[in-house]
Coordinates of all heavy atoms in Angstrom, one line a residue:
M1 N 21.7 -5.3 -12.1 CA 23.0 -5.7 -12.0 C 23.2 -7.2 -11.6 O 24.0 -7.8 -12.2 CB 23.7 -4.8 -11.0 CG 25.1 -5.1 -10.9 SD 26.0 -4.0 -9.7 CE 25.6 -4.7 -8.1
I2 N 22.4 -7.6 -10.7 CA 22.4 -9.0 -10.3 C 22.2 -10.0 -11.5 O 22.9 -10.9 -11.7 CB 21.5 -9.4 -9.1 CG1 22.0 -8.6 -7.9 CG2 21.4 -10.9 -8.9 CD1 20.9 -8.7 -6.7
A3 N 21.1 -9.7 -12.2 CA 20.7 -10.5 -13.4 C 21.8 -10.5 -14.4 O 22.0 -11.5 -15.1 CB 19.4 -10.0 -14.0
R4 N 22.5 -9.4 -14.5 CA 23.6 -9.3 -15.5 C 24.8 -10.1 -15.1 O 25.4 -10.8 -15.9 CB 24.0 -7.9 -15.7 CG 24.8 -7.5 -16.9 CD 25.0 -6.0 -17.2 NE 25.5 -5.3 -16.0 CZ 24.8 -4.3 -15.5 NH1 23.6 -3.9 -15.9 NH2 25.2 -3.7 -14.4
H5 N 25.2 -10.1 -13.8 CA 26.3 -10.9 -13.4 C 26.0 -12.3 -12.9 O 27.0 -13.1 -13.0 CB 26.9 -10.2 -12.1 CG 27.5 -8.8 -12.5 ND1 28.6 -8.7 -13.2 CD2 27.1 -7.6 -12.3 CE1 29.0 -7.5 -13.4 NE2 28.0 -6.8 -12.8
V6 N 24.8 -12.6 -12.6 CA 24.4 -14.0 -12.2 C 23.1 -14.3 -13.1 O 22.0 -14.3 -12.7 CB 24.0 -14.2 -10.8 CG1 23.8 -15.6 -10.5 CG2 25.2 -13.6 -10.0
P7 N 23.3 -14.7 -14.4 CA 22.1 -14.9 -15.3 C 21.2 -15.9 -14.8 O 20.0 -16.0 -15.3 CB 22.8 -15.2 -16.7 CG 24.2 -15.4 -16.4 CD 24.6 -14.9 -15.1
T8 N 21.6 -16.8 -14.0 CA 20.6 -17.8 -13.5 C 19.8 -17.4 -12.3 O 18.8 -18.1 -11.9 CB 21.4 -19.2 -13.2 OG1 22.3 -18.9 -12.2 CG2 22.0 -19.8 -14.4
A9 N 20.1 -16.3 -11.8 CA 19.4 -15.7 -10.6 C 18.0 -15.2 -11.1 O 17.8 -14.7 -12.2 CB 20.2 -14.7 -9.9
H10 N 17.1 -15.3 -10.2 CA 15.8 -14.8 -10.4 C 15.6 -13.5 -9.6 O 15.1 -13.5 -8.5 CB 14.7 -15.7 -10.0 CG 14.8 -17.0 -10.8 ND1 14.4 -17.1 -12.1 CD2 15.2 -18.2 -10.4 CE1 14.7 -18.4 -12.5 NE2 15.1 -19.1 -11.4
A11 N 16.1 -12.4 -10.1 CA 16.1 -11.1 -9.3 C 15.0 -10.3 -9.5 O 14.5 -10.2 -10.7 CB 17.4 -10.3 -9.7
Y12 N 14.4 -9.7 -8.5 CA 13.2 -8.8 -8.6 C 13.5 -7.5 -7.9 O 14.2 -7.4 -7.0 CB 12.0 -9.5 -7.8 CG 11.5 -10.8 -8.6 CD1 12.1 -12.0 -8.4 CD2 10.5 -10.7 -9.5 CE1 11.8 -13.1 -9.1 CE2 10.2 -11.8 -10.2 CZ 10.8 -13.0 -10.0 OH 10.4 -14.1 -10.7
R13 N 12.9 -6.4 -8.5 CA 13.0 -5.1 -7.9 C 11.8 -4.8 -7.2 O 10.7 -4.7 -7.8 CB 13.3 -4.2 -9.0 CG 13.6 -2.7 -8.5 CD 15.0 -2.7 -7.9 NE 15.4 -1.3 -7.7 CZ 16.1 -0.9 -6.7 NH1 16.5 -1.8 -5.8 NH2 16.5 0.3 -6.6
A14 N 11.8 -4.7 -5.9 CA 10.6 -4.6 -5.1 C 11.1 -4.0 -3.8 O 12.2 -3.8 -3.5 CB 9.9 -5.9 -4.9
F15 N 10.1 -3.6 -3.0 CA 10.3 -3.1 -1.6 C 11.0 -1.8 -1.5 O 11.5 -1.3 -0.4 CB 11.0 -4.1 -0.7 CG 10.3 -5.5 -0.6 CD1 10.6 -6.5 -1.3 CD2 9.1 -5.5 0.2 CE1 9.9 -7.7 -1.2 CE2 8.4 -6.6 0.3 CZ 8.8 -7.8 -0.5
N16 N 11.2 -1.0 -2.6 CA 11.9 0.2 -2.6 C 10.9 1.4 -2.8 O 11.3 2.6 -2.9 CB 13.1 0.3 -3.6 CG 12.6 0.3 -5.0 OD1 11.7 -0.3 -5.4 ND2 13.3 1.0 -5.9
T17 N 9.6 1.1 -3.0 CA 8.7 2.2 -3.5 C 7.9 2.7 -2.2 O 7.1 3.6 -2.5 CB 7.8 1.7 -4.6 OG1 7.0 0.5 -4.1 CG2 8.5 1.4 -5.8
V18 N 8.0 2.1 -1.0 CA 7.3 2.7 0.1 C 8.2 2.4 1.3 O 9.2 1.6 1.2 CB 6.0 1.9 0.3 CG1 5.0 2.3 -0.7 CG2 6.1 0.4 0.4
D19 N 7.9 3.1 2.4 CA 8.7 2.9 3.6 C 8.1 1.9 4.5 O 7.1 1.3 4.4 CB 8.8 4.2 4.3 CG 10.2 4.5 5.0 OD1 10.9 3.4 5.2 OD2 10.4 5.6 5.3
W20 N 8.8 1.6 5.7 CA 8.5 0.5 6.5 C 7.0 0.7 7.2 O 6.4 -0.2 7.5 CB 9.5 0.4 7.6 CG 9.5 1.5 8.6 CD1 10.3 2.6 8.6 CD2 8.7 1.7 9.8 NE1 10.1 3.5 9.6 CE2 9.1 2.8 10.4 CE3 7.8 0.9 10.4 CZ2 8.5 3.3 11.6 CZ3 7.2 1.3 11.6 CH2 7.5 2.5 12.2
E21 N 6.6 2.0 7.3 CA 5.3 2.2 7.9 C 4.2 1.5 7.1 O 3.2 1.1 7.6 CB 5.0 3.6 7.9 CG 5.8 4.4 9.0 CD 7.1 5.0 8.5 OE1 7.6 4.6 7.4 OE2 7.8 5.7 9.3
N22 N 4.4 1.4 5.7 CA 3.5 0.8 4.8 C 3.4 -0.7 5.0 O 2.4 -1.4 4.8 CB 3.8 1.2 3.4 CG 3.6 2.6 3.1 OD1 2.4 3.1 3.0 ND2 4.7 3.3 3.1
F23 N 4.5 -1.3 5.4 CA 4.6 -2.8 5.7 C 4.0 -3.1 7.1 O 3.4 -4.0 7.3 CB 6.0 -3.3 5.6 CG 6.7 -3.1 4.3 CD1 7.7 -2.2 4.1 CD2 6.2 -3.7 3.2 CE1 8.4 -2.0 2.9 CE2 6.8 -3.4 1.9 CZ 7.8 -2.6 1.8
A24 N 4.2 -2.1 8.1 CA 3.6 -2.3 9.3 C 2.1 -2.2 9.4 O 1.5 -3.0 10.1 CB 4.2 -1.2 10.4
D25 N 1.6 -1.3 8.5 CA 0.2 -1.2 8.4 C -0.1 -0.8 6.9 O -0.1 0.3 6.5 CB -0.4 -0.2 9.3 CG -1.9 0.0 9.2 OD1 -2.6 -0.9 8.4 OD2 -2.5 0.9 9.8
P26 N -0.5 -1.8 6.0 CA -0.7 -1.6 4.6 C -2.0 -1.1 4.3 O -2.4 -1.0 3.2 CB -0.4 -3.0 4.0 CG -0.9 -3.9 5.1 CD -0.5 -3.3 6.4
H27 N -2.9 -0.8 5.3 CA -4.3 -0.3 5.1 C -4.3 1.2 5.1 O -3.8 1.8 5.9 CB -5.2 -0.9 6.2 CG -5.3 -2.4 6.1 ND1 -4.4 -3.3 6.7 CD2 -6.0 -3.2 5.2 CE1 -4.6 -4.5 6.5 NE2 -5.6 -4.6 5.6
Y28 N -5.2 1.7 4.2 CA -5.5 3.2 4.1 C -7.0 3.2 4.3 O -7.8 3.1 3.2 CB -5.0 3.8 2.8 CG -3.5 3.7 2.7 CD1 -2.9 2.5 2.2 CD2 -2.7 4.7 3.1 CE1 -1.5 2.4 2.1 CE2 -1.4 4.6 3.0 CZ -0.8 3.4 2.6 OH 0.6 3.3 2.4
G29 N -7.5 3.2 5.5 CA -8.9 3.1 5.7 C -9.3 1.6 5.3 O -8.7 0.6 5.7
D30 N -10.2 1.5 4.4 CA -10.6 0.1 3.9 C -9.9 -0.4 2.7 O -10.1 -1.5 2.2 CB -12.2 0.1 3.5 CG -13.0 0.4 4.7 OD1 -12.6 0.1 5.9 OD2 -14.2 0.9 4.5
V31 N -8.8 0.4 2.3 CA -8.1 0.0 1.1 C -6.7 -0.5 1.4 O -6.1 0.0 2.3 CB -7.9 1.4 0.1 CG1 -7.1 1.1 -1.0 CG2 -9.3 1.9 -0.3
V32 N -6.3 -1.6 0.7 CA -5.0 -2.1 0.9 C -4.1 -1.5 -0.1 O -4.4 -1.5 -1.3 CB -5.0 -3.7 0.8 CG1 -3.7 -4.2 0.9 CG2 -5.9 -4.3 1.9
G33 N -2.9 -1.1 0.2 CA -2.0 -0.5 -0.6 C -1.3 -1.5 -1.5 O -1.4 -2.7 -1.3
D34 N -0.8 -1.0 -2.5 CA 0.0 -1.9 -3.6 C 1.5 -1.8 -3.5 O 1.9 -0.6 -3.0 CB -0.4 -1.3 -5.0 CG -1.9 -1.8 -5.3 OD1 -2.5 -2.6 -4.6 OD2 -2.5 -1.1 -6.2
L35 N 2.2 -2.8 -3.9 CA 3.6 -2.7 -4.0 C 4.0 -3.2 -5.4 O 3.7 -4.1 -5.9 CB 4.3 -3.7 -3.0 CG 5.8 -3.6 -3.0 CD1 6.2 -2.4 -2.3 CD2 6.5 -4.9 -2.4
I36 N 4.5 -2.1 -6.1 CA 4.8 -2.3 -7.5 C 6.2 -2.9 -7.7 O 7.1 -2.5 -6.9 CB 4.7 -0.9 -8.2 CG1 3.2 -0.4 -8.1 CG2 5.1 -1.0 -9.7 CD1 3.0 1.0 -8.3
Y37 N 6.3 -3.9 -8.5 CA 7.6 -4.6 -8.6 C 7.8 -5.2 -10.1 O 6.9 -5.1 -10.9 CB 7.6 -5.8 -7.6 CG 6.9 -7.0 -8.0 CD1 7.5 -8.1 -8.6 CD2 5.4 -7.1 -8.0 CE1 6.9 -9.3 -8.9 CE2 4.8 -8.2 -8.4 CZ 5.5 -9.2 -8.9 OH 4.8 -10.3 -9.3
C38 N 9.0 -5.5 -10.3 CA 9.4 -6.2 -11.6 C 10.4 -7.3 -11.4 O 11.0 -7.4 -10.4 CB 9.9 -5.1 -12.5 SG 11.6 -4.5 -12.1
G39 N 10.5 -8.1 -12.4 CA 11.4 -9.2 -12.4 C 11.0 -10.2 -13.4 O 10.0 -10.1 -14.1
P40 N 11.7 -11.3 -13.5 CA 11.4 -12.3 -14.5 C 10.0 -13.0 -14.3 O 9.6 -13.1 -13.2 CB 12.5 -13.4 -14.4 CG 13.2 -13.1 -13.1 CD 12.9 -11.7 -12.7
D41 N 9.3 -13.2 -15.4 CA 8.1 -13.9 -15.3 C 8.3 -15.4 -15.2 O 9.4 -15.9 -15.3 CB 7.2 -13.6 -16.6 CG 5.8 -13.9 -16.4 OD1 5.4 -14.2 -15.3 OD2 5.0 -13.7 -17.4
G42 N 7.3 -16.2 -14.8 CA 7.5 -17.6 -14.6 C 7.3 -18.0 -13.2 O 6.8 -17.3 -12.4
D43 N 7.5 -19.3 -12.9 CA 7.3 -19.8 -11.6 C 7.9 -19.1 -10.4 O 7.3 -18.8 -9.4 CB 7.8 -21.3 -11.5 CG 7.0 -22.2 -12.4 OD1 5.7 -21.8 -12.7 OD2 7.4 -23.3 -12.8
P44 N 9.2 -18.6 -10.5 CA 9.7 -17.9 -9.4 C 8.9 -16.6 -9.1 O 9.0 -16.1 -8.0 CB 11.2 -17.5 -9.8 CG 11.5 -18.6 -10.9 CD 10.1 -18.8 -11.5
R45 N 8.3 -16.0 -10.0 CA 7.5 -14.9 -9.8 C 6.3 -15.1 -8.8 O 6.0 -14.2 -7.9 CB 6.8 -14.4 -11.1 CG 6.0 -13.0 -10.9 CD 5.6 -12.5 -12.2 NE 4.3 -11.9 -12.0 CZ 3.3 -11.9 -12.9 NH1 3.4 -12.4 -14.1 NH2 2.2 -11.3 -12.6
E46 N 5.8 -16.3 -8.7 CA 4.9 -16.7 -7.7 C 5.4 -16.5 -6.3 O 4.7 -16.1 -5.4 CB 4.3 -18.1 -7.9 CG 3.5 -18.3 -9.2 CD 3.2 -19.7 -9.4 OE1 3.0 -20.5 -8.5 OE2 3.0 -20.1 -10.6
I47 N 6.7 -16.9 -6.1 CA 7.4 -16.7 -4.8 C 7.5 -15.3 -4.5 O 7.2 -14.8 -3.3 CB 8.8 -17.4 -4.8 CG1 8.6 -18.9 -5.1 CG2 9.5 -17.1 -3.5 CD1 9.9 -19.7 -5.3
A48 N 7.9 -14.5 -5.4 CA 8.0 -13.0 -5.2 C 6.6 -12.4 -4.8 O 6.6 -11.6 -3.8 CB 8.5 -12.3 -6.5
E49 N 5.6 -12.9 -5.4 CA 4.2 -12.3 -5.1 C 3.8 -12.8 -3.6 O 3.2 -12.1 -3.0 CB 3.2 -12.8 -6.1 CG 3.5 -12.0 -7.4 CD 2.2 -11.9 -8.3 OE1 1.2 -12.4 -8.0 OE2 2.4 -11.1 -9.3
R50 N 4.2 -14.0 -3.3 CA 3.8 -14.5 -1.9 C 4.5 -13.7 -0.9 O 4.0 -13.4 0.2 CB 4.2 -16.0 -1.8 CG 3.1 -16.9 -2.4 CD 3.1 -18.3 -1.9 NE 4.5 -18.9 -2.0 CZ 4.9 -19.7 -2.9 NH1 4.1 -19.9 -4.1 NH2 6.1 -20.3 -2.9
V51 N 5.9 -13.5 -1.1 CA 6.7 -12.6 -0.2 C 6.1 -11.2 -0.1 O 5.9 -10.7 1.0 CB 8.1 -12.5 -0.6 CG1 8.9 -11.5 0.3 CG2 8.8 -14.0 -0.5
I52 N 5.8 -10.6 -1.2 CA 5.1 -9.3 -1.1 C 3.8 -9.3 -0.5 O 3.4 -8.5 0.5 CB 5.0 -8.7 -2.5 CG1 6.3 -8.4 -3.2 CG2 4.0 -7.4 -2.5 CD1 6.3 -8.1 -4.6
G53 N 3.0 -10.4 -0.8 CA 1.6 -10.5 -0.1 C 1.7 -10.8 1.3 O 0.9 -10.3 2.1
A54 N 2.8 -11.4 1.8 CA 3.0 -11.5 3.3 C 3.1 -10.3 4.0 O 2.8 -10.2 5.2 CB 4.2 -12.5 3.5
T55 N 3.5 -9.2 3.4 CA 3.6 -7.9 4.1 C 2.2 -7.3 4.2 O 2.0 -6.3 4.9 CB 4.4 -6.9 3.2 OG1 3.7 -6.6 2.0 CG2 5.8 -7.4 2.9
G56 N 1.2 -7.8 3.5 CA -0.2 -7.2 3.5 C -0.4 -6.4 2.3 O -1.5 -6.1 2.1
L57 N 0.6 -6.0 1.6 CA 0.4 -5.2 0.4 C 0.0 -6.1 -0.8 O 0.4 -7.3 -0.8 CB 1.7 -4.4 0.1 CG 2.0 -3.3 1.1 CD1 3.4 -2.9 0.9 CD2 1.1 -2.2 1.0
R58 N -0.7 -5.5 -1.7 CA -1.1 -6.3 -3.0 C 0.1 -6.1 -4.0 O 0.5 -5.0 -4.4 CB -2.4 -5.7 -3.5 CG -2.8 -6.4 -4.8 CD -4.1 -5.9 -5.3 NE -3.9 -4.7 -6.0 CZ -4.3 -4.3 -7.2 NH1 -4.9 -5.3 -7.9 NH2 -4.0 -3.2 -7.7
P59 N 0.7 -7.2 -4.5 CA 1.7 -7.1 -5.5 C 1.1 -6.7 -6.9 O 0.0 -7.2 -7.3 CB 2.3 -8.5 -5.6 CG 1.3 -9.4 -4.9 CD 0.4 -8.6 -4.0
V60 N 1.8 -5.7 -7.5 CA 1.4 -5.3 -8.8 C 2.6 -5.5 -9.7 O 3.7 -4.7 -9.6 CB 0.9 -3.8 -8.8 CG1 0.6 -3.3 -10.3 CG2 -0.3 -3.7 -7.9
Y61 N 2.6 -6.3 -10.7 CA 3.7 -6.7 -11.5 C 3.7 -5.7 -12.8 O 2.7 -5.6 -13.4 CB 3.6 -8.2 -12.0 CG 4.7 -8.6 -12.8 CD1 5.9 -8.8 -12.4 CD2 4.4 -9.0 -14.2 CE1 6.9 -9.3 -13.3 CE2 5.3 -9.6 -15.0 CZ 6.6 -9.7 -14.5 OH 7.6 -10.2 -15.3
V62 N 4.9 -5.1 -13.0 CA 5.0 -4.2 -14.1 C 5.8 -4.7 -15.3 O 5.9 -4.1 -16.3 CB 5.4 -2.8 -13.7 CG1 4.4 -2.1 -12.8 CG2 6.8 -2.8 -13.2
G63 N 6.3 -5.9 -15.1 CA 7.1 -6.5 -16.2 C 8.5 -7.0 -15.8 O 8.7 -7.1 -14.6
G64 N 9.3 -7.4 -16.7 CA 10.5 -8.0 -16.5 C 11.6 -7.1 -15.9 O 11.3 -6.0 -15.6
T65 N 12.8 -7.6 -15.8 CA 13.8 -6.8 -15.2 C 14.1 -5.6 -16.0 O 14.7 -4.5 -15.4 CB 15.1 -7.6 -15.0 OG1 15.5 -8.2 -16.3 CG2 14.9 -8.7 -14.0
D66 N 13.7 -5.4 -17.2 CA 14.0 -4.3 -17.9 C 13.0 -3.1 -17.5 O 13.1 -2.0 -17.9 CB 13.7 -4.5 -19.5 CG 12.2 -5.0 -19.7 OD1 11.7 -5.8 -19.0 OD2 11.6 -4.5 -20.6
K67 N 12.1 -3.4 -16.5 CA 11.2 -2.3 -16.0 C 11.7 -1.9 -14.7 O 11.0 -1.1 -14.0 CB 9.8 -2.9 -15.9 CG 9.2 -3.3 -17.1 CD 9.0 -2.1 -18.1 CE 8.3 -2.5 -19.3 NZ 8.3 -1.5 -20.3
A68 N 13.0 -2.1 -14.3 CA 13.5 -1.6 -13.0 C 13.5 -0.1 -12.9 O 13.2 0.4 -11.9 CB 15.0 -2.2 -12.8
A69 N 13.7 0.6 -14.0 CA 13.7 2.0 -14.0 C 12.3 2.5 -13.7 O 12.1 3.6 -13.0 CB 14.2 2.6 -15.3
V70 N 11.2 1.8 -14.1 CA 9.8 2.2 -13.8 C 9.6 2.0 -12.3 O 9.1 3.0 -11.7 CB 8.9 1.2 -14.6 CG1 7.4 1.5 -14.1 CG2 9.0 1.4 -16.0
V71 N 10.1 1.0 -11.8 CA 9.9 0.8 -10.3 C 10.8 1.8 -9.5 O 10.3 2.4 -8.5 CB 10.3 -0.6 -9.9 CG1 10.4 -0.8 -8.3 CG2 9.4 -1.7 -10.5
D72 N 11.9 2.1 -10.0 CA 12.7 3.2 -9.4 C 12.1 4.5 -9.5 O 12.3 5.4 -8.6 CB 14.2 3.2 -9.9 CG 14.9 1.9 -9.5 OD1 14.5 1.2 -8.5 OD2 16.0 1.7 -10.1
G73 N 11.4 4.8 -10.6 CA 10.7 6.0 -10.7 C 9.6 6.2 -9.7 O 9.3 7.3 -9.3
I74 N 9.0 5.1 -9.4 CA 7.9 5.1 -8.4 C 8.5 5.3 -7.0 O 7.9 6.1 -6.2 CB 7.1 3.8 -8.4 CG1 6.4 3.8 -9.8 CG2 6.1 3.7 -7.2 CD1 5.7 2.5 -10.1
A75 N 9.7 4.9 -6.8 CA 10.4 5.2 -5.5 C 10.8 6.6 -5.5 O 10.6 7.3 -4.4 CB 11.7 4.3 -5.5
A76 N 11.2 7.2 -6.6 CA 11.5 8.7 -6.7 C 10.2 9.5 -6.4 O 10.3 10.5 -5.6 CB 12.1 9.0 -8.0
L77 N 9.1 9.0 -6.9 CA 7.8 9.7 -6.7 C 7.5 9.7 -5.2 O 7.0 10.6 -4.6 CB 6.7 9.1 -7.5 CG 5.3 9.5 -7.2 CD1 5.1 11.1 -7.5 CD2 4.3 8.8 -8.0
W78 N 7.6 8.5 -4.6 CA 7.4 8.3 -3.1 C 8.2 9.3 -2.3 O 7.7 10.0 -1.4 CB 7.7 6.9 -2.7 CG 7.3 6.7 -1.2 CD1 6.0 6.3 -0.8 CD2 8.1 7.0 -0.1 NE1 6.1 6.3 0.6 CE2 7.3 6.7 1.1 CE3 9.4 7.4 0.1 CZ2 7.8 6.8 2.3 CZ3 9.9 7.4 1.4 CH2 9.1 7.2 2.4
F79 N 9.6 9.4 -2.6 CA 10.4 10.3 -1.8 C 9.9 11.8 -2.1 O 10.0 12.5 -1.1 CB 11.9 10.2 -2.2 CG 12.6 9.0 -1.5 CD1 12.7 7.8 -2.1 CD2 13.1 9.3 -0.2 CE1 13.3 6.8 -1.4 CE2 13.7 8.3 0.4 CZ 13.8 7.0 -0.1
S80 N 9.6 12.1 -3.3 CA 9.1 13.5 -3.5 C 7.9 13.8 -2.7 O 7.8 14.9 -2.2 CB 8.8 13.7 -5.1 OG 8.3 14.9 -5.3
L81 N 6.9 12.9 -2.8 CA 5.7 13.1 -2.0 C 5.9 13.1 -0.5 O 5.4 14.0 0.2 CB 4.6 12.1 -2.4 CG 4.1 12.1 -3.8 CD1 3.2 11.0 -4.1 CD2 3.3 13.5 -4.1
A82 N 6.6 12.1 -0.1 CA 6.8 11.9 1.4 C 7.6 13.1 2.1 O 7.2 13.6 3.1 CB 7.5 10.6 1.7
F83 N 8.6 13.5 1.4 CA 9.5 14.4 2.0 C 9.5 15.8 1.4 O 9.3 16.8 2.2 CB 10.9 13.9 2.0 CG 11.1 12.6 2.7 CD1 11.5 11.4 2.1 CD2 10.8 12.5 4.1 CE1 11.6 10.2 2.8 CE2 10.9 11.4 4.8 CZ 11.3 10.2 4.2
E84 N 9.5 16.0 0.1 CA 9.5 17.3 -0.5 C 8.2 17.9 -0.4 O 8.0 19.1 -0.3 CB 10.0 17.2 -2.0 CG 11.5 16.8 -2.0 CD 11.8 16.5 -3.6 OE1 11.2 17.0 -4.4 OE2 12.9 15.8 -3.7
R85 N 7.1 17.1 -0.6 CA 5.7 17.7 -0.5 C 5.1 17.6 0.9 O 3.9 17.9 1.2 CB 4.8 17.0 -1.5 CG 5.2 17.1 -3.0 CD 5.0 18.6 -3.4 NE 6.4 19.1 -3.7 CZ 6.8 20.3 -3.5 NH1 6.0 21.3 -3.1 NH2 8.0 20.7 -3.7
G86 N 5.9 17.0 1.9 CA 5.4 16.9 3.2 C 4.3 16.0 3.5 O 3.6 16.1 4.6
M87 N 4.1 15.0 2.7 CA 2.9 14.0 3.0 C 3.3 13.1 4.1 O 2.4 12.3 4.6 CB 2.5 13.4 1.7 CG 1.9 14.2 0.7 SD 1.2 13.4 -0.8 CE 0.4 14.6 -1.6
G88 N 4.5 12.9 4.4 CA 5.0 11.9 5.4 C 5.3 10.5 4.9 O 5.0 10.2 3.7
R89 N 5.8 9.8 5.8 CA 6.4 8.4 5.4 C 5.3 7.4 5.1 O 5.5 6.4 4.6 CB 7.3 8.0 6.5 CG 8.5 8.9 6.7 CD 9.2 8.6 8.0 NE 9.8 7.3 8.0 CZ 11.0 6.9 7.9 NH1 11.9 7.7 7.4 NH2 11.4 5.7 7.9
G90 N 4.0 7.7 5.5 CA 3.0 6.8 5.3 C 2.3 6.8 3.9 O 1.3 6.2 3.7
V91 N 3.0 7.6 3.0 CA 2.4 7.7 1.7 C 2.5 6.3 1.0 O 3.5 5.6 1.1 CB 3.2 8.7 0.8 CG1 2.8 8.6 -0.7 CG2 2.9 10.1 1.4
G92 N 1.4 5.9 0.4 CA 1.4 4.6 -0.4 C 0.7 4.8 -1.7 O 0.3 5.9 -2.0
F93 N 0.6 3.7 -2.4 CA 0.1 3.7 -3.8 C -1.0 2.7 -4.0 O -0.9 1.6 -3.3 CB 1.2 3.5 -4.8 CG 2.3 4.6 -4.8 CD1 3.5 4.3 -4.1 CD2 2.0 5.9 -5.3 CE1 4.5 5.2 -4.1 CE2 3.0 6.8 -5.2 CZ 4.3 6.5 -4.6
K94 N -1.9 3.0 -4.8 CA -2.9 2.0 -5.3 C -3.1 2.2 -6.8 O -3.4 3.3 -7.3 CB -4.3 2.4 -4.6 CG -5.3 1.4 -4.8 CD -5.0 0.1 -4.2 CE -6.0 -1.0 -4.4 NZ -5.6 -2.3 -3.9
V95 N -3.0 1.1 -7.5 CA -3.2 1.0 -8.9 C -4.7 0.7 -9.1 O -5.2 -0.3 -8.6 CB -2.4 -0.1 -9.6 CG1 -2.7 -0.2 -11.0 CG2 -0.9 0.2 -9.4
L96 N -5.3 1.5 -9.9 CA -6.8 1.4 -10.2 C -7.0 0.9 -11.6 O -6.4 1.4 -12.5 CB -7.6 2.7 -9.9 CG -7.4 3.2 -8.5 CD1 -8.0 4.6 -8.4 CD2 -7.9 2.2 -7.4
T97 N -8.0 0.0 -11.8 CA -8.3 -0.4 -13.2 C -9.8 -0.5 -13.3 O -10.5 -0.5 -12.3 CB -7.6 -1.8 -13.5 OG1 -8.2 -2.7 -12.6 CG2 -6.2 -1.8 -13.4
R98 N -10.3 -0.4 -14.5 CA -11.7 -0.6 -14.9 C -11.9 -1.9 -15.5 O -11.1 -2.4 -16.2 CB -12.1 0.5 -15.8 CG -12.1 1.8 -15.1 CD -13.0 2.8 -15.9 NE -12.8 4.2 -15.4 CZ -13.5 4.6 -14.4 NH1 -14.5 3.9 -13.7 NH2 -13.3 5.9 -13.9

């Protein structure tokens, strides 16, 4: 919505896929959790990654603002696991690659 109404803004969708406990302690044993986000590519994205990295979480970019529904889907998954499946607010995510 911000990008639509203020086309010069560099809006990112982040920080809605985990709860504050993950920012207070982003470690799961020896593994650092990921924060999945989206927004415009380019120089401002470096700022977004620095802000995310300052929480201790690893930023994982999934694409432009058209990927907001993907990020929101991960938020829905978090709520389902944390509350409906009883895993608790400390649930986090890790993207694995080969």
Side-chain angles (χ1 to χ4, degrees):
M1 182 175 83
I2 292 171
R4 196 169 50 243
H5 292 288
V6 186
T8 58
H10 303 286
Y12 292 85
R13 186 72 166 143
F15 299 106
N16 68 323
T17 57
V18 293
D19 213 344
W20 69 267
E21 289 88 350
N22 295 284
F23 301 116
D25 182 6
H27 297 91
Y28 299 83
D30 294 336
V31 176
V32 174
D34 291 340
L35 185 74
I36 299 163
Y37 78 103
C38 69
D41 203 359
D43 292 338
R45 185 174 141 211
E46 293 176 31
I47 297 168
E49 292 208 350
R50 282 199 309 266
V51 171
I52 293 167
T55 70
L57 293 165
R58 182 179 76 124
V60 176
Y61 181 68
V62 296
T65 53
D66 62 315
K67 298 298 182 189
V70 172
V71 175
D72 289 346
I74 294 166
L77 173 63
W78 184 89
F79 275 97
S80 179
L81 294 173
F83 299 117
E84 294 172 21
R85 298 294 113 215
M87 292 184 176
R89 297 165 62 100
V91 170
F93 299 104
K94 185 68 182 173
V95 175
L96 303 174
T97 60
R98 292 197 190 272

